[in-house]
Amino acid sequence: MSRLTLSILLLFLLILATNYNWWQDSEQPQVNKQREDVWQPNYQARNMQTNLFNEEGVLTHSIHAAVMEHYEALGFTLFQQPQYSVFVQADEPPWEITAQEGTLYEDNRIQLETNVEIRSLSEDGVWQTINTSFIEIDLNNKTMHSDQPVTILGVNYTIRGNGFSADMNSKQFELLDHVETIYGKDN
Amino acid sequence: INQDFNEPIRVASKFQSGDGINKVSIFREDVKITQGSLSIEASEVEVNAEQGKGREIFIARGNPAEYQQTMADGSRIRALANHIEYQVEKRTLTLSGNAELHQNSSSVSGDKIEFNMEKEQLVAQGSDDGDGRVETIFQPEPKKKPVQEK
């Protein structure tokens, strides 16, 4: 490494150092451009069907939606008219869930909005249908939570309340703001 | 009274929780059960729906819980007890814990009273430990033929 190349190198570093902010500035506009992209879906699918399996290869839930938009950077997927089947226990038919719109987050939480209907396909199931305008389902531990008015139709009863939470495995449920439950043929 | 039993049973309360597997629901905080003219007010009600449709058992607990219903002759029967169990299918009421039943001009009190709501008659009364105080003030007069609605 002759003295000449050393001094050239030094000179080059010097220039670089003094212009450091120049190099920095040019970075700025680029970031704004990138933020706009974030709002564009990474990919979009129409009439798509996704089946998701757990480690043992057991089907845990499947989604059919008119439109699906995945937003990688924002970490969620939007569904239009999602039809969701959640398989809770092997010996039990799945729960069918439909709504106007659904948002699936990376931590396996799905929020469903507008005309949400959850149907249990087993006749003697504890709840036949659940209707509400918003619900969040944690697909990992199969729990549901809503803070909106809800109507739960069971075998021979109807429950109305504001907000509820339920565990699809243990079938425990709770209404903190219960309005009324009707037993008998009125439901 | 008999039309009551064709009516749906409504339970209002602030809080409700349930267990779908053994089909038991718990209602808490100003619980009110109504079925036609029947009403039961309590601080807590447990509903056991294990035997299925129309065979629910309502267990009301309160200090005391209160039951009321309009009899065939139009008079209002009233009962108080810490524990009121309403068996929907058998149409019977089992009162226990400082139980009192007031019907027309008679009233009965004791540790345990069983009442057939359809026949409007006392089925059994007494106390669990055998030597508890049981008091009947006046026997209800024989049931008049229920007046037919026009």
Side-chain angles (χ1 to χ4, degrees):
Chain A
M1 175 95 85
S2 69
R3 262 159 39 83
L4 183 62
T5 49
L6 198 66
S7 53
I8 292 169
L9 196 69
L10 212 66
L11 195 64
F12 175 73
L13 277 177
L14 197 67
I15 295 164
L16 199 68
T18 52
N19 294 317
Y20 176 68
N21 46 31
W22 162 77
W23 172 71
Q24 242 271 335
D25 290 349
S26 71
E27 187 60 43
Q28 225 50 33
Q30 229 222 344
V31 164
N32 288 349
K33 197 173 127 337
Q34 211 216 344
R35 195 159 299 142
E36 271 138 38
D37 298 349
V38 154
W39 291 111
Q40 301 304 329
N42 294 72
Y43 53 80
Q44 213 179 34
R46 292 195 173 281
N47 282 335
M48 49 67 68
Q49 169 84 23
T50 333
N51 294 331
L52 294 113
F53 300 83
N54 63 15
E55 296 80 25
E56 291 89 32
V58 173
L59 179 63
T60 53
H61 50 268
S62 74
I63 314 165
H64 173 83
V67 173
M68 179 197 97
E69 291 161 355
H70 179 63
Y71 295 82
E72 188 66 40
L74 297 175
F76 60 73
T77 309
L78 265 183
F79 299 96
Q80 301 301 333
Q81 283 98 37
Q83 280 165 335
Y84 226 84
S85 311
V86 181
F87 297 81
V88 180
Q89 267 143 15
D91 55 354
E92 211 188 66
W95 297 73
E96 292 290 322
I97 305 168
T98 52
Q100 196 60 31
E101 213 179 75
T103 315
L104 175 63
Y105 293 91
E106 271 157 7
D107 56 5
N108 244 349
R109 256 175 329 114
I110 182 156
Q111 288 180 345
L112 293 152
E113 284 167 64
T114 321
N115 306 333
V116 181
E117 179 158 294
I118 300 164
R119 266 189 320 285
S120 143
L121 299 188
S122 62
E123 299 78 33
D124 62 353
V126 63
W127 312 304
Q128 297 305 296
T129 50
I130 300 172
N131 292 94
T132 180
S133 57
F134 169 83
I135 198 155
E136 178 171 300
I137 302 174
D138 182 319
L139 292 163
N140 293 336
N141 45 37
K142 300 280 185 334
T143 53
M144 300 192 262
H145 177 72
S146 171
D147 53 7
Q148 293 302 312
V150 62
T151 305
I152 302 173
L153 279 178
V155 174
N156 197 35
Y157 63 82
T158 306
I159 305 173
R160 279 186 311 102
N162 299 311
F164 90 113
S165 49
D167 181 314
M168 297 160 101
N169 272 316
S170 70
K171 307 290 191 290
Q172 307 265 347
F173 66 95
E174 207 175 42
L175 284 96
L176 299 183
D177 182 2
H178 168 256
V179 173
E180 187 180 43
T181 297
I182 303 165
Y183 290 86
K185 53 187 181 325
D186 195 24
N187 57 21
Chain B
I1 189 167
N2 289 341
Q3 298 92 353
D4 285 348
F5 297 117
N6 305 327
E7 297 284 325
I9 303 170
R10 293 172 191 277
V11 186
S13 73
K14 178 81 187 79
F15 175 79
Q16 191 218 5
S17 68
D19 178 332
I21 293 180
N22 52 40
K23 299 209 172 15
V24 170
S25 300
I26 308 274
F27 298 85
R28 272 199 217 95
E29 271 181 54
D30 2 326
V31 189
K32 180 154 193 193
I33 305 173
T34 48
Q35 183 184 26
S37 77
L38 177 152
S39 89
I40 297 177
E41 288 182 22
S43 49
E44 182 183 287
V45 166
E46 180 185 322
V47 180
N48 186 316
E50 233 171 338
Q51 275 102 33
K53 242 174 166 177
R55 290 194 200 84
E56 291 88 4
I57 299 170
F58 290 75
I59 303 161
R61 297 183 189 95
N63 296 316
E66 183 179 0
Y67 151 79
Q68 288 196 29
Q69 193 161 21
T70 305
M71 299 284 104
D73 62 6
S75 68
R76 194 83 175 146
I77 185 166
R78 198 165 147 266
L80 298 164
N82 299 342
H83 190 109
I84 298 180
E85 189 171 306
Y86 169 31
Q87 309 220 357
V88 174
E89 194 187 20
K90 289 204 211 113
R91 298 179 179 177
T92 60
L93 215 56
T94 310
L95 312 159
S96 49
N98 311 324
E100 289 169 34
L101 183 72
H102 307 280
Q103 185 182 12
N104 302 353
S105 48
S106 84
S107 73
V108 173
S109 60
D111 275 345
K112 192 162 189 184
I113 298 174
E114 205 181 317
F115 177 69
N116 182 311
M117 303 153 91
E118 199 172 20
K119 300 195 186 83
E120 301 177 9
Q121 275 160 2
L122 218 53
V123 174
Q125 70 186 88
S127 60
D128 316 333
D129 47 21
D131 56 2
R133 196 175 49 76
V134 170
E135 190 193 342
T136 306
I137 294 177
F138 171 65
Q139 273 306 335
E141 65 275 21
K143 206 158 79 65
K144 291 194 271 336
K145 228 173 86 27
V147 69
Q148 298 304 343
E149 257 76 28
K150 288 196 211 25

